[in-house]
Amino acid sequence: MAIILIADDDLIVLKVVRSILVKAGHIVMQANNGQQALELLELQDVDLIVSDANMPGGVSGFNVVSTIRKDPKFKDIPFIFLTARRDKADIVKAVQFGANDYVVKPVKPEVLLSKVANLLAKKKPKADAG
């Protein structure tokens, strides 16, 4: 079980992804845009982030991943882009910005869960606060 933050401006996508992850035993937090995702990160430790690449409001998924990669307390959180963009250039851009993986919409549950499990297995353990 992991705490996973999902961010997408499409409420149907949020509902579908949440359902997939909850059925797999994960705790899910959700944000409707990139700004809300960054705010939730400040309130709750998460084990993994799944985010749309393009969201309105001035904070895209690209902004979210580049922001967390610059912050020592968030930089090691695994990040999966969830997007309808499937061009090779988009995938390269996602990796360059700091994404660990990439899932193309529509979401195939087995693909998403496989990528989530793989990244959680590789995740660095948190350092003790004491």
Side-chain angles (χ1 to χ4, degrees):
M1 177 200 66
I3 299 173
I4 299 174
L5 171 61
I6 55 175
D8 200 305
D9 58 307
D10 185 327
L11 296 179
I12 294 170
V13 171
L14 279 175
K15 185 176 180 179
V16 168
V17 173
R18 178 184 191 90
S19 175
I20 293 166
L21 294 171
V22 168
K23 284 180 185 173
H26 300 294
I27 296 169
V28 177
M29 298 170 39
Q30 62 187 55
N32 297 322
N33 57 57
Q35 183 62 44
Q36 189 179 28
L38 291 172
E39 291 168 4
L40 286 171
L41 271 178
E42 293 290 343
L43 301 174
Q44 171 71 51
D45 286 340
V46 301
D47 298 303
L48 186 135
I49 300 168
V50 178
S51 176
D52 188 10
N54 297 312
M55 292 180 282
V59 182
S60 71
F62 292 105
N63 298 127
V64 173
V65 73
S66 64
T67 298
I68 68 167
R69 291 298 179 241
K70 294 174 191 167
D71 190 323
K73 64 184 173 189
F74 302 131
K75 69 179 179 62
D76 294 324
I77 299 173
F79 191 100
I80 298 173
F81 266 119
L82 177 66
T83 179
R85 302 177 82 155
R86 56 184 73 226
D87 292 339
K88 183 178 179 183
D90 293 321
I91 297 169
V92 169
K93 180 180 176 183
V95 171
Q96 288 173 337
F97 269 75
N100 299 90
D101 215 328
Y102 198 93
V103 175
V104 177
K105 295 177 187 174
V107 180
K108 291 183 176 77
E110 63 280 3
V111 171
L112 177 62
L113 291 174
S114 173
K115 291 182 181 229
V116 166
N118 184 41
L119 287 173
L120 290 173
K122 292 179 181 176
K123 190 171 185 268
K124 294 178 184 175
K126 293 179 184 167
D128 289 334

